[in-house]
């Protein structure tokens, strides 16, 4: 039988030295083992908070490497902090599993702490319980000056639309895992599977974009669906040139339609999509060079015609904005793609 | 198919007016709908943070009233804040369920927000996804002056041990739900089931005990197991008089051994167990009277003999303290009860 406390103590209690406190960045004053953890944000800053839930068979294959699962479970949450321009501080973990499988827990916690240490993010609380399936819920905390947080509602007409890295790699990896396709070069398959199973949250990029980017989010559900969140919240529309979207090299041998589907609707890449005024192009290129991250302009934010804004009423949620909000193009002209958003590609 | 955003918007977006900001208690500056919520603790205070996971068939019956489930899911988390002396501020919700059942979601969210409004606790973020079972993970945030937080490691020899309310009612309700027993009076059954399904977190009591109580926690796993956490963390032992433990009236018709089992090992009561010096007895009695909560002294904290402390080494976790740490008594003398801790009574 699982015992909450023995599990927490054995696998999830890290020596404090792994997360040393500094004057500038105090560690949690009280962590695992009490009713609550205690945390204060950096002086004058806010805590950015995000929660995700990952369910076996839905968000990951039941036989995925537990090390990768631990790594990715925290990575996707840190990606939300990155999209906000927040610096990771701490996280809580709630975990259910059918039985206390020690080798699974050892590998899972090892992957989890690998990601945690890379970003100085301390585990401050948790709950482990038995349940019929593996279910992981992580809540992350980061520090950000409130006025510099990269929000979804801050895109402005005239902004460039940027993406980091290359897209479609995680969807290619999912296709391999599902047996939808195979690649000639095993090295390509390994790259695609790593993109799926071990995404790297763009934490340093998000922090560097404070005060430079307008709106930002991370691409978890696919570029089309995620960009739509920015457009709805900012009450704007966009033109995107498909030919400019940087493609994962692993897609090269797939048919063009599959490639486009992967880069436009493939989720799980956890790259950042952000908008920024034309005046800061040089700053952004400098950041990309310094961080060795490909940063690519893929389109432009445009205003909504007044009558379309009126049609949507004054609702800030803008649920009822008339579609389409994204005008897709390639080098030959307009391309017809759905823009009502895409749900996750499901592993089941 | 579940769509994360439509579910969040429809059932879990509350009008801001439900949680008005005041100068003293700013609301979250950014809530549901962005990558992260932004939160700052009250000036000079810390955020107390706690996470729980509730799994269908494990922590609740699959056919439980969804209203009660929403109510209880938040209540058990607020109980952790209460045990810390923290004032509830906000929470995040991660929820998986097999399909988007609208009437279930409506009732669940209604129960959830009933509890949230009672304690001024705002939903600031979440994640909804499909999954094979209902799984609920809530993370709560409260404000507390760090120096006044009620920790588990603060019990001192000579302290009285107190409990709030009456114990065993939730275990009685579980027995009824499982068909283990029935009660002559249907009114008693209703009281016991309400104790199980709609616990009331002792938030006001926790706040009132700041600066008065030494150690505190909430009784979720049963008095014996939970008290043991205080004893291990504080490196002390306890004597508890079973006859002084206040019993739920619903237990009266059960055999004495079943009654003792319910009050000592029955979980889910979410009453507070706390220790406090003898000098503040009058203060505690005054608080109980003001809040109309029964507060009862059930025992005494005692020091560990030096050689026993030495045997446990200097580990703050004190995992290896020699047992038994709790000396159980009744009016006739010592009583033999296990004190190695109890796991949850499971609904499955």
């Amino acid at each position: 039988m699982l015992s909450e406390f023995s599990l927490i103590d054995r696998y999830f209690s890290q020596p404090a030295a792994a997360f040393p406190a500094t004057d500038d960045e105090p560690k949690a004053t009280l962590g695992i083992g009490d009713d609550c953890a205690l945390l204060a944000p950096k002086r004058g800053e806010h805590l950015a908070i995000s929660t995700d839930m990952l369910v076996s068979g839905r968000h990951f294959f039941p036989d995925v490497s537990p090390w990768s699962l631990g790594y990715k479970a925290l990575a996707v949450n840190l990606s939300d902090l990155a999209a906000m321009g927040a610096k990771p501080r701490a996280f809580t973990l709630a975990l259910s599993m059918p039985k206390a499988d020690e080798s699974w827990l050892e590998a899972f916690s090892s992957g989890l702490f690998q990601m945690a240490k890379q970003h100085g993010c301390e585990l401050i609380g948790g709950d482990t319980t038995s349940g019929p399936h593996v279910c992981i819920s992580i809540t992350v905390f980061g520090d950000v000056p409130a006025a510099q947080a990269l929000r979804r509602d801050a895109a402005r007409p005239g902004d460039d639309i940027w993406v980091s890295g290359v897209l479609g790699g995680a969807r290619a990896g999912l296709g391999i895992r599902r047996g939808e396709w195979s690649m000639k070069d095993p090295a390509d398959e390994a790259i695609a599977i790593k993109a799926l199973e071990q995404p790297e949250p763009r934490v340093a990029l998000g922090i560097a974009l404070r005060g430079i980017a307008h709106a930002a989010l991370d691409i978890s559900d696919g570029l089309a669906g995620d960009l739509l969140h920015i457009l709805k919240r900012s009450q704007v529309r966009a033109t995107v040139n498909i030919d400019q979207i940087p493609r994962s090299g692993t897609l090269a041998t797939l048919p063009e339609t599959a490639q486009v589907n992967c880069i436009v609707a493939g989720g799980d890449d956890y790259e950042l999509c952000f908008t920024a005024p034309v005046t800061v192009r040089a700053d952004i290129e400098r950041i990309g060079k310094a961080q060795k991250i490909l940063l690519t302009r893929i389109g432009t934010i445009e205003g909504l015609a007044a009558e379309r804004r009126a049609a949507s009423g004054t609702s800030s949620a803008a649920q009822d904005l008339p579609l389409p909000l994204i005008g897709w193009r390639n080098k030959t002209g307009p391309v017809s793609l759905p823009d009502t958003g895409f749900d996750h590609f499901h592993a089941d």
Side-chain angles (χ1 to χ4, degrees), chain A:
Chain A
M1 181 181 290
L2 281 177
S3 164
E4 173 183 350
F5 286 85
S6 65
L7 275 181
I8 289 177
D9 283 340
R10 197 173 328 152
Y11 294 104
F12 299 114
S13 290
Q14 289 284 294
F19 301 98
T22 66
D23 283 349
D24 189 42
E25 292 168 16
K27 58 186 268 108
T29 55
L30 187 63
I32 286 176
D34 217 303
D35 297 292
C36 298
L38 295 179
L39 201 64
K42 283 175 67 174
R43 195 178 305 273
E45 302 199 351
H46 278 53
L47 278 183
I49 300 169
S50 183
T51 292
D52 264 313
M53 180 173 271
L54 301 179
V55 181
S56 177
R58 170 94 185 166
H59 301 96
F60 55 90
F61 293 104
D63 63 349
V64 70
S65 137
W67 191 95
S68 292
L69 182 60
Y71 190 88
K72 179 170 177 174
L74 184 56
V76 304
N77 278 282
L78 295 182
S79 180
D80 283 316
L81 293 183
M84 209 75 192
K87 184 173 185 344
R89 164 78 80 85
F91 70 107
T92 62
L93 166 72
L95 170 67
S96 79
M97 55 190 310
K99 60 182 178 59
D101 177 334
E102 304 233 348
S103 67
W104 191 97
L105 277 165
E106 188 173 349
F108 176 85
S109 60
S110 170
L112 184 81
F113 284 118
Q114 175 72 29
M115 175 56 59
K117 282 175 191 162
Q118 279 175 25
H119 295 282
C121 195
E122 183 188 4
L123 180 64
I124 57 168
D127 189 17
T128 51
T129 179
S130 74
H133 287 75
V134 174
C135 184
I136 303 158
S137 181
I138 287 179
T139 303
V140 285
F141 309 96
D143 294 302
V144 66
Q148 294 194 317
L150 305 174
R151 303 165 57 129
R152 294 183 174 185
D153 62 3
R156 297 291 168 259
D159 279 1
D160 293 320
I161 302 170
W162 297 77
V163 296
S164 65
V166 294
L167 299 187
R171 181 65 186 84
L174 181 63
I176 293 165
R177 282 278 187 236
R178 280 178 172 169
E180 289 173 353
W181 54 61
S182 60
M183 291 167 182
K184 282 176 193 160
D185 187 344
D188 275 347
E189 294 204 342
I191 292 170
I193 286 170
K194 190 169 181 191
L196 175 68
E197 297 186 348
Q198 295 174 37
E200 295 297 335
R202 295 300 194 182
V203 170
L205 177 60
I207 293 169
L209 290 174
R210 289 178 186 171
I212 293 176
H214 280 161
L217 50 58
D218 63 323
I219 303 176
S220 54
D221 293 337
L223 174 64
D226 286 325
L227 178 57
L228 210 54
H229 296 313
I230 287 182
L231 303 181
K232 285 180 174 177
R233 296 219 144 231
S234 301
Q235 302 239 334
V236 293
R237 67 182 304 282
T239 296
V240 176
N241 189 324
I242 291 172
D243 292 336
Q244 289 172 5
I245 301 171
R247 301 183 187 191
S248 165
T250 62
L251 301 175
T253 57
L254 299 181
E256 174 65 11
T257 51
Q259 291 195 35
V260 170
N261 192 46
C262 284
I263 59 172
V264 167
D268 265 1
D269 281 320
Y270 298 99
E271 295 293 349
L272 295 190
C273 174
F274 57 95
T275 83
V278 173
T279 50
V280 296
R281 282 181 185 173
D283 298 296
I284 291 170
E285 280 157 11
R286 189 175 32 76
I287 290 167
K289 213 166 273 179
Q291 299 197 0
K292 299 187 172 60
I293 299 175
L294 182 67
L295 298 176
T296 310
R297 278 184 285 122
I298 62 165
T300 308
I301 297 292
E302 293 158 11
L304 286 181
E307 66 274 18
R308 298 186 74 190
R309 281 202 306 278
S312 74
T314 54
S315 155
S316 64
Q319 291 307 303
D320 306 319
L321 283 179
L323 298 173
L325 289 177
I326 307 177
W328 299 98
R329 304 184 55 84
N330 65 15
K331 57 181 171 293
T332 64
V335 175
S336 176
L337 283 179
D339 89 351
T340 51
F342 297 78
D343 272 283
H344 275 285
F345 285 97
H346 307 298
D348 53 352

